[in-house]
Amino acid sequence: MNNDFFIEIDYRLFHELGSVISSDVCLNKRGEDRSVMVLSDGAGRGIQTNVIASMIASMALNYTLTADNLLRATRRIIETFAVNDKFTNTNHPSFTIVSIDNDNKVKIAEFGNPDLIIIRDGKELKINKKRYSLNHNKRRLNVVISEYNALCEDRILAFTDGITKSGYATYRLPTGWGRSGVIKLVTNTLKQTPYISGVELAQTVVNNAEMNDLFVVRNDMCCSSIYLRKPRKVLVCTGPPFKEQDDKVMANIVNDYDGNVIVSGGTTSQIISRELGREQTIIMKRDSSGLPPISKIDGLSMVTEGVLTLNKVKHLLESIKNTNIKGTGIDANFARMLLEHDVVDFLVGNKINASHQDPRLPVELELRRNVVKDLARILEFKFMKQINITFI
Amino acid sequence: MERKLVVKICTGTLCYVTGGAELQSIDEHIPEHILDQIDIIGSTCADHEETEDRPQPPIVKVGDVIIPEATIEKVVTAIKAALGEA
């Protein structure tokens, strides 16, 4: 995991009108040593192109995560898929691989897709690129490999030709939007909203491409966006410490935390309130979620009940398909706050409340550690958050 | 200034799942003419959870009187008694 900054990787995709499946596939994964994003275009339409694009993306992702030679990975992929005459320089599946090492070195391999864009300080950053011509079955296929050192606030955007060709043959854009059009939009957007999230920037690009096509998308269009930024951190403190003498330690961790803090648990909030000498006020208001009421302690972002609330947040995060959470209940607010941050630190007290283990009580009163473990797994693997769990 | 009768409703997990959720709407069941004489507040119930002879949840405290296995009826009766309305 990169220690200097958080790497947000996300993408947005529009299908060609009338198509139920896309020929563009974007995959990303964080490994021990690096984070990798692959954008693959199966070239064409239909199930076959989606399968090809998915296989390329999957191969490239796993190869890059385990091995460190992008040129070799690219060569293997091309050799695997360049089996028929259709695979020429003008009509073939294309892909872009971006690998960001933990020491901030970015390695890029491009084959066929429009050149990706790197934005630094509101302008396009030009980097040295090495062009390789691979011979395969008497055909020459061009691969571009490049490297550079990333800085915080850098943005990397990769996209398929559906974006650059959008608007083609229209009155306004007779030759299509082009890469320069994308750069212009991105730099203008960043001038107005410099801290826009990666996913919102990708959405802005595909929305504009759709508009260029006069809202009748003529080619699958996908834009992936990488944003390297200072991590936004949130601490979830839940459960009383196993030893009473650690109450002070827990309260100090909460007090010194450099981010937002959620305290989840009645006894936990009492400990924090007592140790920090800050009054706790329970807000006696019935909530749409049916959960026990929240309370207020100065300096804390949110104070909720413990296991029931965590369980409900877990189920909510499990069920949603994207990060756009609707609703105003305690569970929705809690989940929204978790998703707004890049790093979620859990501080879990290990003391078990014996009365919660009464078999007559609802099953929702699970062991706190299990609920936190499940919640952390969902946040890490479904929402790509960086998770740290400390037991006390 | 006249001191109000404090009605403390436990909002802890255990009290909440054993019927305390209903007690959130206690203000709707208290006669209007005594509503301004009481102060309804929430509390966490850690004070009672750890003891052997703890009162059974849900717990409500009306003034200094602890009401175990509290229901809306029990609490309203206790409030009326405390205010001399019974």
Side-chain angles (χ1 to χ4, degrees):
Chain A
M1 199 65 70
N2 194 301
N3 294 322
D4 295 342
F5 39 67
F6 180 79
I7 303 166
E8 182 194 351
I9 307 176
D10 217 324
Y11 70 97
R12 282 293 182 258
L13 168 77
F14 278 154
H15 291 186
E16 180 181 340
L17 190 75
S19 176
V20 290
I21 196 160
S22 173
S23 64
D24 297 348
V25 172
C26 184
L27 297 179
N28 66 77
K29 199 169 180 179
R30 289 177 219 282
E32 283 290 307
D33 309 320
R34 59 187 69 96
S35 300
V36 180
M37 186 283 297
V38 182
L39 175 62
S40 163
D41 179 357
R45 57 188 305 189
I47 302 289
Q48 189 188 356
T49 56
N50 177 270
V51 171
I52 290 172
S54 300
M55 286 171 72
I56 289 175
S58 180
M59 269 180 83
L61 190 72
N62 290 311
Y63 207 108
T64 314
L65 276 171
T66 50
D68 195 25
N69 191 323
L70 277 190
L71 183 60
R72 195 182 298 160
T74 306
R75 195 193 295 270
R76 291 283 176 270
I77 293 164
I78 291 172
E79 281 169 359
T80 307
F81 290 94
V83 289
N84 59 43
D85 292 338
K86 285 180 186 169
F87 202 99
T88 66
N89 246 339
T90 52
N91 177 24
H92 56 71
S94 51
F95 55 88
T96 304
I97 307 170
V98 181
S99 163
I100 305 170
D101 291 354
N102 285 354
D103 61 358
N104 307 340
K105 183 164 271 185
V106 181
K107 295 167 185 167
I108 301 161
E110 294 170 90
F111 178 67
N113 277 339
D115 287 2
L116 57 67
I117 297 170
I118 301 166
I119 303 285
R120 179 177 291 173
D121 298 329
K123 289 180 291 198
E124 190 197 358
L125 176 73
K126 306 251 186 211
I127 55 168
N128 289 329
K129 295 187 173 187
K130 284 184 185 165
R131 288 172 197 281
Y132 295 88
S133 190
L134 305 182
N135 285 316
H136 187 76
N137 289 349
K138 296 176 189 171
R139 281 171 278 150
R140 299 183 74 79
L141 302 165
N142 300 322
V143 176
V144 180
I145 303 285
S146 48
E147 272 186 23
Y148 89 104
N149 286 314
L151 296 180
C152 196
E153 293 300 320
D154 276 5
R155 291 174 187 268
I156 304 168
L157 283 105
F159 35 86
T160 54
D161 60 357
I163 299 282
T164 47
K165 286 179 182 168
S166 65
Y168 179 75
T170 59
Y171 180 74
R172 194 169 64 90
L173 298 163
T175 57
W177 197 20
R179 188 173 173 273
S180 57
V182 182
I183 294 173
K184 199 172 166 186
L185 173 80
V186 170
T187 50
N188 282 341
T189 307
L190 290 176
K191 206 176 281 175
Q192 289 163 14
T193 47
Y195 301 109
I196 186 174
S197 70
V199 65
E200 283 175 299
L201 190 60
Q203 186 72 60
T204 306
V205 172
V206 291
N207 283 349
N208 246 270
E210 185 198 25
M211 188 185 69
N212 293 339
D213 271 349
L214 306 175
F215 302 99
V216 180
V217 178
R218 288 179 289 180
N219 197 350
D220 293 330
M221 41 180 72
C222 182
C223 176
S224 72
S225 171
I226 300 174
Y227 181 21
L228 301 101
R229 63 169 182 233
K230 273 192 176 171
R232 292 182 287 215
K233 295 169 73 179
V234 64
L235 172 71
V236 180
C237 173
T238 180
F242 183 66
K243 293 177 189 165
E244 261 181 47
Q245 56 263 42
D246 285 336
D247 285 3
K248 187 87 193 158
V249 178
M250 178 180 252
N252 285 340
I253 293 172
V254 167
N255 195 37
D256 299 341
Y257 192 74
D258 59 337
N260 287 316
V261 178
I262 302 174
V263 172
S264 186
T267 313
T268 319
S269 58
Q270 266 201 337
I271 291 170
I272 302 296
S273 163
R274 185 191 67 220
E275 295 294 331
L276 297 182
R278 297 182 201 163
E279 201 186 336
Q280 178 178 11
T281 317
I282 294 170
I283 301 165
M284 289 296 280
K285 196 175 126 191
R286 266 170 296 165
D287 191 75
S288 58
S289 63
L291 287 167
I294 53 168
S295 42
K296 267 195 170 175
I297 297 178
D298 277 353
L300 305 184
S301 309
M302 202 174 188
V303 183
T304 71
E305 180 274 341
V307 184
L308 292 174
T309 307
L310 289 171
N311 225 319
K312 197 132 190 186
V313 171
K314 181 188 95 177
H315 288 302
L316 177 65
L317 289 174
E318 238 169 5
S319 64
I320 55 172
K321 291 203 167 70
N322 59 44
T323 50
N324 188 14
I325 298 176
K326 293 185 176 75
T328 52
I330 293 168
D331 54 343
N333 291 338
F334 196 131
R336 213 176 280 120
M337 187 169 269
L338 292 178
L339 296 183
E340 280 168 3
H341 292 80
D342 307 314
V343 178
V344 183
D345 292 313
F346 286 97
L347 178 62
V348 186
N350 266 357
K351 194 169 186 179
I352 293 173
N353 190 335
S355 56
H356 287 191
Q357 308 311 314
D358 187 332
R360 290 169 297 179
L361 294 175
V363 286
E364 281 76 20
L365 284 179
E366 283 182 67
L367 281 176
R368 189 185 307 270
R369 279 206 294 189
N370 293 347
V371 182
V372 169
K373 198 177 69 185
D374 290 345
L375 186 57
R377 180 181 46 78
I378 295 165
L379 287 168
E380 185 170 9
F381 295 107
K382 188 171 176 184
F383 298 104
M384 309 295 283
K385 303 292 175 193
Q386 186 182 322
I387 303 294
N388 303 304
I389 305 179
T390 309
F391 294 103
I392 187 168
Chain B
M1 196 176 145
E2 200 184 335
R3 261 186 76 189
K4 285 187 174 184
L5 176 69
V6 175
V7 178
K8 214 181 224 185
I9 300 173
C10 178
T11 60
T13 311
L14 194 60
C15 285
Y16 201 81
V17 296
T18 50
E22 298 292 318
L23 299 167
Q24 303 281 305
S25 60
I26 189 83
D27 54 341
E28 293 168 14
H29 300 269
I30 295 169
E32 264 185 47
H33 68 282
I34 56 171
L35 206 51
D36 57 350
Q37 298 173 50
I38 60 169
D39 208 354
I40 301 169
I41 59 170
S43 81
T44 50
C45 67
D47 295 345
H48 304 294
E49 274 179 358
E50 299 303 321
T51 54
E52 279 290 315
D53 56 343
R54 67 171 195 270
Q56 287 301 300
I59 299 162
V60 174
K61 208 170 168 187
V62 176
D64 295 325
V65 182
I66 291 173
I67 304 169
E69 295 179 89
T71 59
I72 287 174
E73 291 74 30
K74 274 188 183 182
V75 176
V76 172
T77 310
I79 291 170
K80 283 179 178 173
L83 293 172
E85 291 251 334

